[in-house]
Every structure is written in structure tokens, then in C-alpha cells.
Amino acid sequence: MSVTKLAPVSLAMFYGANRDFANAFSVRVTLKNPVEPEPLRRALDKAMTRYPYFAVRLKIQGEALVLEDNSLPVSIVKGPEPAKLNTAQSNYHLVGVSYERTRARWKFTM
């Protein structure tokens, strides 16, 4: 299992998060046709393989924050909002996806 200790400059992003600044970014797309869950799952799984630095979870080791490999699937929620990031609902990922009708949303923490 790969573990990456966060540099001091990165720590500010996580320690600085609060209810007014969540440090999360969203990408929303609207398609001509309805979003289908099975192709969305395949595309997301392929993307996580292609970009493994998104397949991580944030953990505490002693007094340090570290990013650890996360082999659990990224959650896909049918509805307007992805699962809350870095929780059991999101399989502790810092990435989440949601969809409804012709819209899809990717939310991630960097």
C-alpha cells in the first residue's frame, strides 16, 4: 500500500477547510441523452485506473496527514449531490460522482 505524507503547503488546504471553505471543486456536465449508470461506472473505474492519484483516502498517522491508496470503488449517487467526501458514504474517497437525468457532477478535493 502506497502512502504519501502531505507537504506543509498541502496541509493548509486540509486544515483550512471549514463550513465556509470546503476546498472542493465541482465539474458539471449536461448531455443530450440521459445518463446511464452502467457506462458511467465503467468510465469512472477506467478514469481511476488512468489517474491513480485520485484513488486515495486521507488518513492521520501520528501528527501527520497522509494520502493512502484506496482500492474501494468511487461512489456514484443518483441525485443532484455526490456523497460527502472522505466519509463512509464516499468509501473515504476525495472524489464523488452524482447524476440525474441528463446531468452529471464530479466533485473532488485537491
Side-chain angles (χ1 to χ4, degrees):
M1 176 170 288
S2 175
V3 174
T4 302
K5 186 174 179 181
L6 293 175
V9 70
S10 298
L11 291 174
M13 299 298 279
F14 288 105
Y15 283 125
N18 57 50
R19 69 182 180 103
D20 298 320
F21 176 69
N23 192 36
F25 303 86
S26 291
V27 176
R28 297 173 197 222
V29 295
T30 302
L31 307 170
K32 291 181 181 180
N33 297 317
V35 176
E36 297 290 334
E38 291 82 18
L40 180 59
R41 167 54 60 199
R42 287 193 306 271
L44 182 56
D45 290 346
K46 188 167 197 141
M48 296 305 281
T49 301
R50 171 69 178 89
Y51 303 102
Y53 42 84
F54 284 123
V56 295
R57 68 185 286 175
L58 184 66
K59 295 203 74 178
I60 298 172
Q61 276 188 353
E63 294 184 12
L65 289 176
V66 297
L67 294 176
E68 183 177 276
D69 288 341
N70 187 347
S71 61
L72 296 172
V74 173
S75 66
I76 298 177
V77 174
K78 185 173 183 178
E81 291 287 326
K84 187 173 181 182
L85 303 181
N86 202 34
T87 66
Q89 293 81 15
S90 65
N91 282 333
Y92 299 99
H93 277 284
L94 302 176
V95 174
V97 175
S98 65
Y99 73 95
E100 60 179 354
R101 295 183 295 268
T102 60
R103 296 183 191 141
R105 180 178 180 195
W106 286 260
K107 187 173 185 179
F108 53 97
T109 299
M110 296 185 67

